[in-house]
Amino acid sequence: CRLLLEKTLAAGARVVRIPYQATAAELEQDYFAHINGVLLPGGGTNLEGQFLASVETLVRLTEAANDAGDHFPVWGTCAGFEALAQIYATPKIVGPMNAWNVSQTLDFYAAARTSAVYGYAPALLATAAAEPVAMNNHHLGPSLLRAVFAPLRC
């Protein structure tokens, strides 16, 4: 989480830490009204309760902003991605998994080579596809098998 914060700052962004305990009204008025994107970091967290409710509030506000023509990106890394999967997939696709202290290669769709996120780094794609450089420390995660049978709600 700290490395992600440092890289975000180094790229020129200003960072606003949003407390997950904030109410929906606080999220909208005190935070969302003053930011132009949401980065959901990883880290050990419970993907239920107040944390997930706060993420869902931010995501719904983001959807409304995008629907109104205000480009408002959301990025989820590790637990942040898992939270997005919990919000958008019905039935829920996040469940138990044993991926603690495991490094793996990554499988990319062909479109990754020209995507805005990975298109600039063909060497990164090649390395991540060929060498086990993706570190995983998860007790929960989205299951491909569950995802195949879960329609998205977006």
Side-chain angles (χ1 to χ4, degrees):
C1 189
R2 173 167 282 194
L3 179 61
L4 187 58
L5 172 66
E6 290 171 1
K7 296 292 184 185
T8 303
L9 290 168
R14 286 189 233 161
V15 174
V16 176
R17 292 183 184 194
I18 300 175
Y20 74 87
Q21 308 93 326
T23 66
E26 290 170 335
L27 289 171
E28 183 172 6
Q29 296 162 6
D30 298 344
Y31 295 97
F32 192 82
H34 306 286
I35 59 176
N36 61 2
V38 175
L39 189 149
L40 301 167
T45 189
N46 183 351
L47 291 177
E48 297 173 342
Q50 185 62 43
F51 172 78
L52 192 61
S54 294
V55 171
E56 187 154 12
T57 297
L58 290 170
V59 166
R60 299 297 171 226
L61 291 167
T62 296
E63 289 172 344
N66 281 300
D67 289 347
D70 180 12
H71 177 71
F72 206 102
V74 175
W75 179 271
T77 297
C78 288
F81 178 80
E82 291 171 16
L84 292 172
Q86 282 287 79
I87 291 166
Y88 281 107
T90 305
K92 301 304 182 198
I93 63 170
V94 175
M97 67 171 26
N98 184 9
W100 193 256
N101 198 22
V102 176
S103 295
Q104 299 173 308
T105 59
L106 297 178
D107 295 324
F108 293 96
Y109 288 102
R113 288 190 287 279
T114 58
S115 74
V117 175
Y118 296 111
Y120 73 94
L124 173 68
L125 288 174
T127 299
E131 299 177 29
V133 295
M135 183 60 183
N136 293 274
N137 283 312
H138 298 277
H139 295 291
L140 293 173
S143 161
L144 181 58
L145 184 59
R146 286 188 293 265
V148 167
F149 296 104
L152 288 180
R153 199 184 63 175
C154 48

